[in-house]
Amino acid sequence: MSSAPTSANTANSVSYDYDLQDANGATCTAHAWAKVPAPLSAEAKAEIKARIKALLKERNAVLVAHYYVDGDLQDLAQETGGCVSDSLEMARFGRDHSAQTLIVAGVKFMGESSKILSPGKRVLMPDLDATCSLDLGCPAEDFVKFCDAHPDRKVVVYANTSAAVKARADWMVTSSCALSIVKHLKDQGEKILWAPDRHLGRYIQKETGADMLMWNGACIVHDEFKGLELDLLKKDHPKALVLVHPESPESVVAQADVVGSTSQLLKAVVESDAPEFIVATDNGILHRMRQMAPHKVLIEAPTAGNSATCKSCAHCPWMAMNGLQGVLDCLEKGTGEITVDEAIRVKAHGCIDRMLDFVAKNPAAITKPAQGFVPNIGAA
């Protein structure tokens, strides 16, 4: 399917349709449904960064960025006293920071999580259309019906869901504490209703033996990793450790040396003595990995076969919608404000608090930042 500029603001962005995998297995999610910001010259980039830095101070604002967004945004967050981390740590950092305006570079559920934890603060995002396939694939209305049909199960949802879905849940979990929390519930004799990522759910079910009823969702990025191609790549790099995010298919997870959250994979690169790593998660994290372990060799895991035009193209199309100009627009124009209905916010806050309380009482249930890590590296 050919791409065509359909956005109202065609000077700054181009809209793309998502090409599903073809008969040869070739696919690329790099531009799926996304409005990709126009490239900036070095001069324009420097000018916009300087204006953002000044406005962050002037507006009592802080920039928080996810590991998967553009490296320029990650660096800018670090340079200005913000943070680069996973989605939950982004929200916690914003909650605990003195700034009254949070600029969240990520996808919409991350902005909602920040608003849930910081209701008195203004939360702005570079592009409100930046969403998540897991969020999109779990509409609140359908999810509530699913839950109501199985009232005997504890509802456990992944962080990658809307505020409305979290409001229906008993627990929210991240990929780093999900195993411990589901095991805890199993030990209490509970049966689980899990949503939305089926790969993460299957991995947790296999590890814990819990009775889990799965919602059928998947991340369009991690779902594209190929077990057969990974096996071939490992033969070419026999010294490489394979790092896999558990949102990946079973055939990929089965070949991993480390299965873990973004922070756990980053921790593995920094602390392991291995010289090479094959990384099966969004390639946006490679920017931070290279900064923290500059002498390590990082290889992207394959998302397609040899005939594909893009052998390894694991990058979230919605994360790619975040750009410097969008951050500047937030600060200059107040665009991209996140709002959450108060009744929904209160209910959603409950399932997040339950997770945070569990982790506080069971510190071994979650990965701790290692020595040498940036502050607030997070654990989700």
Side-chain angles (χ1 to χ4, degrees), residues 4 9 45 50-51 75 77 83 94 103 114-115 117 136 139 147 156 184 204 222 277 303 326 333 335 349 354 359:
N9 187 11
K45 191 178 293 186
R51 290 163 65 190
D75 293 345
C83 79
I103 310 297
S114 291
K115 190 66 177 179
L117 293 187
L136 285 177
C147 294
V156 181
H184 165 74
I204 293 168
H222 292 95
F277 300 85
T303 56
K333 305 173 184 177
T335 57
H349 198 291
R354 195 165 288 115
V359 170

Side-chain angles (χ1 to χ4, degrees), residues 179-191:
L179 280 172
S180 296
I181 288 175
V182 170
K183 183 179 184 303
H184 165 74
L185 292 173
K186 181 205 171 194
D187 291 345
Q188 299 295 313
E190 300 286 0
K191 296 189 293 182

Side-chain angles (χ1 to χ4, degrees), residues 127-293:
D127 195 324
L128 286 180
D129 288 335
T131 186
C132 168
S133 57
L134 289 170
D135 188 351
L136 285 177
C138 190
E141 183 177 346
D142 294 337
F143 182 67
V144 168
K145 292 177 182 177
F146 185 55
C147 294
D148 289 347
H150 302 279
D152 59 326
R153 292 180 178 268
K154 286 290 183 184
V155 179
V156 181
V157 300
Y158 192 30
N160 299 39
T161 47
S162 68
V165 166
K166 291 181 177 74
R168 181 58 180 83
D170 298 302
W171 291 79
M172 188 197 85
V173 297
T174 66
S175 52
S176 64
C177 66
L179 280 172
S180 296
I181 288 175
V182 170
K183 183 179 184 303
H184 165 74
L185 292 173
K186 181 205 171 194
D187 291 345
Q188 299 295 313
E190 300 286 0
K191 296 189 293 182
I192 309 298
L193 187 153
W194 168 269
D197 191 281
R198 65 179 183 271
H199 295 309
L200 178 57
R202 177 210 49 78
Y203 171 72
I204 293 168
Q205 185 178 47
K206 182 177 180 181
E207 292 294 313
T208 64
D211 182 339
M212 296 174 66
L213 180 63
M214 309 286 185
W215 184 270
N216 187 24
C219 166
I220 64 167
V221 176
H222 292 95
D223 196 42
E224 291 298 321
F225 289 119
K226 302 292 189 290
L228 175 61
E229 294 294 327
L230 176 58
D231 183 58
L232 296 173
L233 182 63
K234 286 172 62 181
K235 290 179 171 62
D236 292 335
H237 300 275
K239 295 181 179 180
L241 287 186
V242 179
L243 311 181
V244 175
H245 194 284
E247 290 176 26
S248 305
E250 186 173 9
S251 61
V252 175
V253 173
Q255 299 183 58
D257 296 296
V258 176
V259 179
S261 66
T262 51
S263 297
Q264 289 167 333
L265 301 186
L266 189 53
K267 177 183 174 73
V269 170
V270 172
E271 295 189 344
S272 172
D273 293 330
E276 296 182 331
F277 300 85
I278 296 171
V279 182
T281 191
D282 189 294
N283 62 28
I285 201 173
L286 299 181
H287 177 76
R288 199 77 194 106
M289 286 180 170
R290 291 182 180 117
Q291 289 179 328
M292 298 180 68

Side-chain angles (χ1 to χ4, degrees), residues 95 117 171 348-359:
R95 177 196 63 189
L117 293 187
W171 291 79
H349 198 291
C351 79
I352 298 176
D353 269 349
R354 195 165 288 115
M355 176 191 69
L356 294 176
D357 288 345
F358 177 87
V359 170

